[in-house]
């Protein structure tokens, strides 16, 4: 009937594990979303916006006061001036921002370097555009980029390099030295950087977020993606934005205007005001740090061993003391028989890998974490 554009793609692991968790009444530490309430104040601002009549289409590039608030925040955090009129587009989520960036730049036959484990939308979004993903594995167990390998894999066809820091699923973060290596590789080439920074504020243990936005020379050739869902504990809002150079953003908007065209108006009106409160995003790192420390302290009673995590709201644990089953099988066993759902990290690789590790989302109420640990201690 039709030729599938993504013949090898099944249902995303997040949906698979969340459905399995619900079927078995398992505690869901798999899919990354908080199980506590978002800010009442932000909800009230949305309510107010709707009552004031902000319920029709807004500007296709995003409600201008929101783009101005984003530009202010970028200047405060990263010391870079961004033009809200020409360099920011509000999108229905970070995934859409990444997809649109790839669709903007890719021609059939182009190559895009991605690092595995790779967030599951990246490779399909490359392939649906007729391009090829060139996957390079991060080192194990510290999940770092081997830049010598990257240099070897760059070809005339390399159109983009995708980076993600803080990293999902591993929680690793890029250092200033990593960004220097990246700069060295892309200089004198037409390579575009696609930087997924949806966890920009979720930084732990005193590390710094090395945003591409700190580097105007790199931003000239980059699309940087963000998600309000991750920052304000409202993943269901599916609202985010992309920042780029004026030239690249003009092309991005050609695609965006015939896809979503514009995003949810009342939420943008609310966020324009809320973003002005710096504590609304600055408090996130310390809040998550407490959660991570709480979770790790409890998990120390189990036989699972933590791998280093420096950001995001994910923590990887090794089960090598317990089993040598595949990650997928062990994750299914934990969900069905122990009552705790996780994500097998192997789902983020194209090739078969089995490092005997699972991803746990610790962005949950303390009582949810306690209940999961109580079950995992029995392993
Ligand atoms: N990138 C990464 C690494 C993610 O973990 C997620 C999931 N939130 C996204 C992008 C997508 O964010 P959104 O839900 O805003 O599309
Ligand atoms: N980003 C979330 C995670 O990594 C899931 C988003 C989704 O389900 N597509 O768990």
């Amino acid at each position: 009937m039709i030729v599938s554009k993504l013949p090898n793609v099944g249902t995303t692991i997040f949906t698979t594990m969340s459905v399995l968790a619900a079927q078995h009444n398992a505690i869901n530490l798999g899919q990354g979303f908080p199980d506590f309430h978002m800010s009442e104040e932000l909800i009230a601002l949305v309510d107010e916006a709707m009552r004031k009549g902000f319920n029709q289409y807004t500007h296709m590039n995003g409600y201008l006061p929101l783009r101005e608030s984003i530009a202010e925040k970028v200047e405060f955090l990263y010391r870079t001036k961004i033009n809200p009129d020409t360099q920011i587009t509000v999108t229905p989520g970070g995934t859409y921002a990444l997809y649109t960036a790839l669709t903007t730049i890719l021609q059939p036959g182009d190559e895009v370097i991605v690092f595995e484990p790779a967030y599951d939308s990246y490779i399909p979004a490359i392939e649906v555009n007729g391009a090829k993903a060139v996957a390079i594995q991060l080192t194990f167990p510290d999940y770092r980029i081997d830049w010598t390998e990257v240099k070897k894999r760059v070809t005339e066809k390399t159109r983009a390099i995708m980076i993600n820091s803080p990293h999902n699923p591993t929680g690793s973060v890029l250092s200033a030295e990593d960004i220097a290596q990246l700069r060295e590789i892309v200089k004198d080439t037409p390579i575009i950087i696609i930087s997924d920074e949806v966890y920009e504020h979720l930084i732990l243990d005193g590390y710094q977020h090395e945003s591409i936005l700190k580097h105007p020379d790199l931003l000239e050739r980059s699309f940087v993606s963000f998600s309000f869902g991750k920052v304000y504990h409202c993943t269901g809002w599916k609202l985010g934005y992309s920042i780029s150079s004026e030239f690249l953003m003009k092309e991005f908007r050609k695609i965006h205007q015939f896809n979503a065209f514009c995003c949810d108006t009342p939420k943008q009106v609310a966020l324009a005001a809320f973003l002005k409160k710096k504590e609304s995003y600055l408090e996130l790192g310390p809040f998550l740090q407490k959660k991570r420390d709480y979770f790790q302290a409890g998990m120390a009673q189990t036989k699972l061993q933590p791998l280093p995590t420096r950001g995001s709201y994910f923590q990887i644990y090794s089960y090598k003391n317990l089993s040598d089953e595949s990650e997928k099988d062990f994750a299914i066993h934990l969900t069905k028989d122990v009552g705790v759902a996780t994500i097998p990290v192997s789902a983020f690789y194209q090739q078969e890998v089995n490092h005997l590790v699972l991803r746990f989302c610790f962005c949950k109420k303390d009582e949810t974490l306690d209940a999961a640990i109580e079950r995992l201690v029995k392993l």
Side-chain angles (χ1 to χ4, degrees):
M1 231 177 354
I2 61 156
V3 178
S4 172
K5 288 202 158 177
L6 295 170
N8 303 321
V9 165
T11 301
T12 145
I13 190 70
F14 305 120
T15 300
T16 306
M17 292 311 294
S18 282
V19 168
L20 199 68
Q23 273 168 1
H24 295 274
N25 217 3
I27 297 163
N28 193 353
L29 303 189
Q31 195 175 21
F33 61 89
D35 69 344
F36 42 81
H37 284 299
M38 62 174 293
S39 154
E40 283 296 334
E41 193 183 339
L42 184 50
I43 293 175
L45 285 168
V46 179
D47 185 66
E48 188 187 314
M50 291 178 86
R51 286 177 202 286
K52 281 189 175 160
F54 289 99
N55 298 305
Q56 310 307 330
Y57 295 133
T58 185
H59 195 283
M60 62 168 253
N61 299 332
Y63 180 60
L64 187 58
L66 174 58
R67 285 185 277 140
E68 287 166 350
S69 294
I70 294 170
E72 269 171 40
K73 176 182 153 178
V74 170
E75 189 167 359
F76 166 70
L77 286 177
Y78 306 121
R79 307 272 163 241
T80 300
K81 270 199 184 307
I82 303 288
N83 182 336
D85 191 30
T86 57
Q87 290 185 267
I88 304 173
T89 301
V90 178
T91 61
T95 318
Y96 175 104
L98 293 166
Y99 186 91
T100 308
L102 289 163
T103 305
T104 302
I105 62 165
L106 291 179
Q107 300 289 342
D110 284 348
E111 294 179 358
V112 181
I113 292 182
V114 292
F115 299 101
E116 286 184 329
Y119 183 60
D120 73 340
S121 79
Y122 297 172
I123 294 176
I126 293 166
E127 291 180 345
V128 84
N129 280 294
K132 185 179 159 213
V134 174
I136 298 178
Q137 293 199 4
L138 296 175
T139 56
F140 182 81
D142 53 355
Y143 297 109
R144 300 206 153 275
I145 295 177
D146 176 350
W147 290 104
T148 318
E149 177 70 10
V150 180
K151 272 184 207 142
K152 283 193 210 147
R153 305 288 290 277
V154 169
T155 72
E156 297 250 290
K157 291 186 181 161
T158 309
R159 184 88 287 264
I161 298 180
M162 288 186 88
I163 54 172
N164 169 215
S165 182
H167 187 251
N168 180 7
T170 70
S172 65
V173 300
L174 293 179
S175 64
E177 174 54 24
D178 286 311
I179 303 297
Q181 295 269 6
L182 177 64
R183 173 183 281 111
E184 196 50 36
I185 287 176
V186 299
K187 91 166 189 256
D188 303 327
T189 76
I191 297 174
I192 304 285
I193 299 164
I194 309 271
S195 185
D196 181 351
E197 303 188 12
V198 299
Y199 299 103
E200 70 177 320
H201 303 299
L202 309 184
I203 288 274
L204 308 166
D205 300 332
Y207 284 88
Q208 285 253 325
H209 174 49
E210 291 301 334
S211 177
I212 288 293
L213 299 180
K214 284 186 183 172
H215 308 277
D217 65 317
L218 293 179
L219 182 58
E220 275 302 299
R221 54 162 78 228
S222 302
F223 284 104
V224 192
S225 303
F226 298 91
S227 168
F228 288 116
K230 296 289 162 181
V231 180
Y232 293 122
H233 307 313
C234 51
T235 58
W237 279 23
K238 291 301 291 189
L239 209 55
Y241 54 100
S242 177
I243 300 185
S244 186
S245 67
E246 185 172 335
F247 172 76
L248 289 175
M249 193 47 87
K250 208 168 161 186
E251 291 300 314
F252 179 103
R253 289 171 175 175
K254 289 185 189 172
I255 310 275
H256 165 68
Q257 70 179 335
F258 297 123
N259 195 3
F261 174 69
C262 71
C263 312
D264 188 307
T265 304
K267 286 172 188 151
Q268 291 190 60
V269 174
L271 283 165
F274 201 64
L275 215 57
K276 297 217 181 279
K277 296 168 178 283
K278 296 190 173 63
E279 66 280 8
S280 75
Y281 50 86
L282 292 180
E283 281 168 359
L284 206 60
F287 171 75
L288 259 294
Q289 176 85 47
K290 272 200 207 130
K291 286 261 165 239
R292 199 285 308 267
D293 294 347
Y294 186 81
F295 184 56
Q296 265 194 6
M299 287 289 279
Q301 304 160 56
T302 72
K303 295 200 178 72
L304 296 158
Q305 294 173 319
L307 268 57
T309 193
R310 294 175 175 154
S312 81
Y313 45 49
F314 304 116
Q315 168 73 58
I316 294 200
Y317 277 89
S318 164
Y319 58 87
K320 70 174 185 216
N321 288 340
L322 292 165
S323 165
D324 58 6
E325 259 179 291
S326 77
E327 292 174 12
K328 189 166 170 232
D329 288 346
F330 196 69
I332 291 172
H333 158 64
L334 276 194
T335 311
K336 284 186 175 169
D337 308 321
V338 183
V340 179
T342 59
I343 300 287
V345 178
S346 57
F348 301 90
Y349 292 84
Q350 285 175 305
Q351 276 172 283
E352 286 266 315
V353 291
N354 193 15
H355 290 136
L356 310 177
V357 288
L358 299 173
R359 187 193 85 173
F360 291 73
C361 174
F362 55 79
C363 191
K364 304 287 174 185
K365 291 181 205 149
D366 288 354
E367 53 266 40
T368 309
L369 299 176
D370 290 341
I373 291 162
E374 202 180 303
R375 294 178 182 191
L376 294 167
V377 171
K378 296 185 192 132
L379 273 171

